[in-house]
Amino acid sequence: MRIATTIAAALVAAAIASPALAQNGPPPSPYTPRVDKPTCTMDELKAATTAYVEGQKKGTLAALPLHDKAEYLQNMKTVPAADGLWNTALPVAHAMSFHDPLRCKTFSEVIVTEGTPYVIGTRLYLDKGKVIRVDSIVTKKGDWLFNANAYAKYSKAEDWGPLMKYQHTPPAEMIRGANAYLDAFADKFTDIPWGQPCARLEGGAYTNREGKPDASCEVGIPKGVLYIVNRDYLIDPEKGVINVFCRFGSSEGGADVHTFRYIDGKIRAVHTLTAIPGPQANDEGGFDRAGVNPNA
């Protein structure tokens, strides 16, 4: 009885305190909340990425079914809808998109080589037929290993199309392998499921410029201990792709996106975009200074 009385008293005290806490806490978000278990169809997701890519060419998101309280982010910072690069018409040289019908997310990689070059990675988050979040990572000259010409050249040459069913990898293994790669920046003994051939396209630097059939992605991880946090996953079951939005070093660290292509349980291609300053790649996918490998 004494325990029950104590619990009841605590509940009453909490009820009395709650209005005060609410009054002193942060104001309610002006954006529609993220949904734990959103609903969508693959057709809705594919229609959204088509509208986004076409809209980027025109400089408008008007064709997207935007929620009236959608949130807009650029390089992982919330921005007014009118301030995003999606409002600038860009001559898209190449684009490809991936779709997660379980998490109701899409990812589109957009490459611009004319005028001001960019490589953009944009996520759309959907629920009940509406886009509730637009999240773009924009990389440009000066960002880590950036070179849009090389990025376009090697992206166009790769196959990221739908797989045969027997080539699929279980989603849990895709997440485990992606995490093993990202964990390797802090722990060099992780078990990464590399396949062969495999190529890494990092900002514009490419690891298989010679097109070798036995090429490996085991080309090194930067020295030191660097934690990669705030990981957010998207899995395209048709194309064997897992896409990870994350930050380097801390919850306020550099905005980054890694995209992994799995075939038969092994990673066969990796694309990365990192919006932090760094060395540049050249048009052939090498480094801007001979003999310099920032991953060594």
Side-chain angles (χ1 to χ4, degrees), residues 3-259:
I3 294 175
T5 302
T6 301
I7 293 173
L11 291 174
V12 171
I16 294 172
S18 293
L21 291 173
Q23 291 173 5
N24 296 327
S29 171
Y31 310 111
T32 185
R34 293 278 297 275
V35 182
D36 287 341
K37 293 185 177 181
T39 60
C40 62
T41 66
M42 186 65 95
D43 286 343
E44 288 173 341
L45 299 177
K46 290 182 177 180
T49 56
T50 297
Y52 163 70
V53 174
E54 290 304 309
Q56 186 64 85
K57 295 176 183 178
K58 299 174 183 176
T60 176
L61 297 180
L64 282 172
L66 296 164
H67 193 286
D68 58 2
K69 292 186 177 180
E71 184 175 10
Y72 301 86
L73 298 96
Q74 188 159 289
N75 290 345
M76 297 187 175
K77 294 181 180 179
T78 299
V79 297
D83 290 356
L85 187 62
W86 46 76
N87 296 300
T88 301
L90 298 174
V92 176
H94 183 66
M96 61 180 182
S97 296
F98 306 106
H99 311 88
D100 186 335
L102 179 64
R103 297 167 181 81
C104 295
K105 301 173 185 177
T106 74
F107 176 72
S108 297
E109 193 176 83
V110 174
I111 308 169
V112 179
T113 56
E114 298 179 18
T116 301
Y118 295 101
V119 184
I120 306 163
T122 294
R123 283 264 191 102
L124 304 176
Y125 296 68
L126 282 79
D127 183 44
K128 297 183 177 65
K130 295 290 187 179
V131 175
I132 61 174
R133 183 181 178 105
V134 179
D135 195 346
S136 283
I137 292 180
V138 177
T139 62
K140 59 188 184 304
K141 185 177 180 180
D143 285 329
W144 186 258
L145 295 177
F146 181 83
N147 189 293
N149 291 331
Y151 209 100
K153 174 182 177 179
Y154 295 111
S155 290
K156 290 177 181 179
E158 292 177 335
D159 179 7
W160 289 73
L163 298 175
M164 296 292 188
K165 289 185 178 180
Y166 64 83
Q167 296 177 303
H168 289 180
T169 302
E173 174 58 20
M174 296 171 72
I175 292 174
R176 188 207 70 77
N179 279 336
Y181 174 88
L182 297 173
D183 288 344
F185 285 79
D187 177 0
K188 303 303 187 284
F189 299 96
T190 60
D191 178 21
I192 305 171
W194 294 125
Q196 282 187 307
C198 181
R200 232 163 82 183
L201 180 57
E202 189 172 354
Y206 198 57
T207 62
N208 190 20
R209 297 189 294 279
E210 297 81 14
K212 295 180 179 179
D214 60 347
S216 173
C217 283
E218 294 186 79
V219 295
I221 297 290
K223 295 178 181 179
V225 175
L226 179 65
Y227 293 99
I228 299 180
V229 301
N230 290 24
R231 301 176 192 179
D232 190 301
Y233 307 96
L234 174 160
I235 294 175
D236 186 319
E238 293 182 349
K239 297 179 179 178
V241 167
I242 178 169
N243 171 265
V244 187
F245 269 35
C246 52
R247 285 185 180 273
F248 273 80
S250 73
S251 60
E252 299 298 323
D256 176 89
V257 55
H258 273 66
T259 307

